[in-house]
Amino acid sequence: MRKGCPYGSHRVVEPKGLLPQPAWKIDNNMEIYDNEILIEVELLNIDSASFTQIEEEAGGEDNRIAEIVNGVVEERGKHHNPVTGSGGMLVGRVEKIGSELEGKIPLKVGQRLATLVSLSLTPLRIDKVKAIHKDTDQVEIEGKAILFESGIYAVLPEDMSQRLALAVLDVAGAPAQIAKLVKPGDRVLIIGAGGKSGLLCLHEARKRAGITGQVIGIAPREASRKRAESTGYCDAVLTADATDALEVMEKVKKATGGSMADLTINCVNINNTELSSILATRYGGVVYFFSMATNFTSAALGAEGVGKDVTMIIGNGYTRDHDAIALNIMRESPVLREIFEELYA
Amino acid sequence: MRKGCPYGSHRVVEPKGLLPQPAWKIDNNMEIYDNEILIEVELLNIDSASFTQIEEEAGGEDNRIAEIVNGVVEERGKHHNPVTGSGGMLVGRVEKIGSELEGKIPLKVGQRLATLVSLSLTPLRIDKVKAIHKDTDQVEIEGKAILFESGIYAVLPEDMSQRLALAVLDVAGAPAQIAKLVKPGDRVLIIGAGGKSGLLCLHEARKRAGITGQVIGIAPREASRKRAESTGYCDAVLTADATDALEVMEKVKKATGGSMADLTINCVNINNTELSSILATRYGGVVYFFSMATNFTSAALGAEGVGKDVTMIIGNGYTRDHDAIALNIMRESPVLREIFEELYA
């Protein structure tokens, strides 16, 4: 019996007492604990910021990129880029399931999965770098990795390409959270409606708000406005600069007949959009921030500064069954599948 | 007739088009618009995270603290700490009410009030720093400030001292939000239970969770642990380092018989406590971040990294009637009033 911490702290080498993500080095010995899962890795999907940094450091040469990736993993026991602090995700096959987990989780040996926890906390060993795909930030390898008991993953579906599935899984949290929040008749505003997570949110918002609800998108440019509009999910798509709180407020006021949004979903990865989201939302409404560019104090003090009693939620990339909910949108919505196939797959 | 924007956008100097809070610099000319209120300032109650940062930068020296506070206000037209992004509040007397507002709001010239909007968006001019109170994060000044039409404030009550009222109003949002969130029978965890907002939250948590609920405090040191315990509101007060996620998780696990908290309230103004808050909360529970030291991405990626489906809320300093709810705690709870009189008044 060798049972590890569900969060993987038993594998932290340095500094002791931390969790695997903040730790400098973790143990990548591939003999698994009874509550771990061993994965035969096929592909590393490197975080875009990390891949760009490595590519620059390597002067764009494939063998140098391979050396750097190998070096990081040898030194830290995980692909945790020391410059950017970020990781990525991986795709592989289940090789072994620890005795504590076997039969208790739906996973089976041989299944292909994508890990949905960051590579920056995943024990990894690279035996061979097979190919480097600079256009997609991906590295094909032979190697092994370990998933902790708390580690989240998605079994890859048979009815879509791996690239399409990965693009959807990358933002799976957003539509799944929205699915749980939106009630029939709600007025829903989606800022960044033409982007990857915004488009998926439009679908869930329309589905849950229903015929009595109102779904409004905001897009910065004509191309993204048209893309959001082409889904057929919106009652209106407004062109507005999401950083201009007063412009957004006025346009949403007009589109809602003065009622403002019951729920505002911020999916736009740029700075200074907190106040737009707050001012566009009705007194007592909810603002859901999915944008990683959200600044905590700007939101907290912004709402106080304008005396607005709204509930502001930090986007959690994980919610139960988010992978299934998000992937299923590709089956439910031919129009979104077409857009996603064209843009991301 | 000079009517400004209700949110104060007419005073933004740089960058144009923003609202006063996110703006770098605002106009602190003290000639008021017709929908503004001029205040003769007596006291700045600096946000705790901000004061701590300034005190550290100043090496604890009073004259250096004064220099830094003056410098920020000269540069930005407001006391908006560029490092922490936070502000504080102020106390003063109404000196002049713009013609558009006079007679339409309950305020009269000469009344003493505390502004409940952040100093990070309030036009301020400091003529003289008179005294610095490091024990209470307060700075006595001579100066002027402006309240916009949307700005919220509280007229200071007659039955308690100004310093006491101010200490309570500074964190009024926290207990008022908690009052609305906690349901009978809830297990409530308060991180930073011995601090100002933590103590007020303890009272509301006990009152709302009731006899079937469980109220647990976490304090970093023996003194704050004893203070939280002395309120009589806690079922348990644990001593733990709030930045040590595993220690906090284990102790809360033990104290809740393995159930973990339904609601965790983070009131501790230090960095790297997001993961502790997340791990201490049950699957499906709520984490309420009142700490201005909260980092948005640490919370968002932290929850995803450990696969924890919790709702994370950005503390909104304003909710309807928060001043009345918070001030009334001083009337309802003799034990808290005694502690507050001793520590902050």
Side-chain angles (χ1 to χ4, degrees), chain A residues 157 159-160 164-165 167-169 171-180 190 195-208 231 233 321-341 344:
Chain A
D159 60 346
M160 60 190 84
L164 176 62
V168 173
L169 289 170
V171 292
Q177 297 283 10
I178 293 326
K180 293 177 186 186
I190 295 169
K196 191 157 69 166
S197 60
L199 287 165
L200 297 174
C201 285
L202 282 183
H203 175 268
E204 287 302 322
R206 180 82 272 167
K207 182 173 165 184
R208 316 283 167 174
T231 64
Y233 297 138
D321 300 330
H322 66 329
D323 54 331
I325 292 171
L327 288 171
N328 202 47
I329 297 175
M330 292 295 108
R331 299 181 191 109
E332 279 182 29
S333 172
V335 58
L336 278 186
R337 183 153 184 169
E338 204 185 310
I339 294 172
F340 271 61
E341 296 271 10
Y344 309 112

Side-chain angles (χ1 to χ4, degrees), chain B residues 28 32 78 119 168 242 259 270 310:
Chain B
N28 65 350
I32 63 168
K78 55 181 180 175
L119 287 177
V168 173
S259 298
I270 53 170
V310 290

Side-chain angles (χ1 to χ4, degrees), chain A residues 304 309 312 314 316 319, chain B residues 116 308-309 312 314 316 319:
Chain A
E304 186 178 341
D309 193 351
M312 296 178 287
I314 298 173
N316 184 341
T319 184
Chain B
L116 300 180
K308 196 73 173 263
D309 193 350
M312 297 178 286
I314 298 172
N316 185 342
T319 186

